[in-house]
Amino acid sequence: MVIAYYMSIHDDGTHMLGPDTYRVPTDAGYYDWRFGIDGTPHPATCPTCGRKTDPAYINPHFRVRRRKRDLTATYDGYVLVSARFRRFCESNNWHHDVQFAKLPADDDYFAFKPSRTLEFDAERRKTRFEDHCPECGEYFNVIGATPVFLRNVSQPLSEGFFRSDLEFASGHEQHPLIILGIETAQAVEARGLLKRYNKTNWN
């Protein structure tokens, strides 16, 4: 039985944190591309593992590259939506449960983040947590997001946007799953705003 859908979004080919990268030394025990200049870690990332530590960080110079898309995602885990997508959410009264962060250098797009979270069942999914970082206390690698298993969801979700409480991928690429209620996913698809979403598993 379908309980919800999660978004599968095309990438924008960009990094919100910035275009300048350098390689973490091999003796650090991590294998991430880090952001900074002259070996200085980015202020929004962990200096040891490179994970994002400031979820509210927005690059003041960032602009969306794939400008024909209403939804797109950066390589470092930011979901970006067009002004048209935001207006559609407002018209359906979904905007109360979603954060739309302004991009200072791009008036036509927003960083998109649902406020409501759903608990991901990492035990049932057998999600792997690897390379614990002693600096930030998190894991560099969180592997195993799909198929999606949710805790404490006994009925199909009808409306609204949600995000998983866990973030997946490696280092600065980590991001939550964006989950849609069934009616919301159908309405978004009907308007041609999103053509790729996948079903979650019954809990």
Side-chain angles (χ1 to χ4, degrees), residues 144-161:
T146 58
V148 179
F149 290 95
L150 300 173
R151 296 183 186 271
N152 304 316
V153 178
S154 58
Q155 297 294 329
L157 302 172
S158 59
E159 285 196 316
F161 294 91

Side-chain angles (χ1 to χ4, degrees), residues 47-60:
T48 297
C49 71
R51 288 183 69 262
K52 295 189 297 294
T53 54
D54 181 2
Y57 175 81
I58 297 292
N59 183 338

Side-chain angles (χ1 to χ4, degrees), residues 27-44:
D27 60 0
Y30 300 95
Y31 304 94
D32 183 24
W33 284 96
R34 233 111 47 91
F35 294 79
I37 299 174
D38 298 329
T40 302
H42 193 287

Side-chain angles (χ1 to χ4, degrees), residues 67-83:
R67 305 194 66 80
K68 293 183 178 180
R69 296 176 181 169
D70 287 295
L71 291 100
T72 189
T74 67
Y75 287 140
D76 46 6
Y78 286 79
V79 175
L80 308 167
V81 300
S82 68

Side-chain angles (χ1 to χ4, degrees), residues 1 22 26 50 54 68 139 141:
M1 182 182 295
Y22 66 92
T26 55
D54 181 2
K68 293 183 178 180
Y139 290 88
N141 292 304

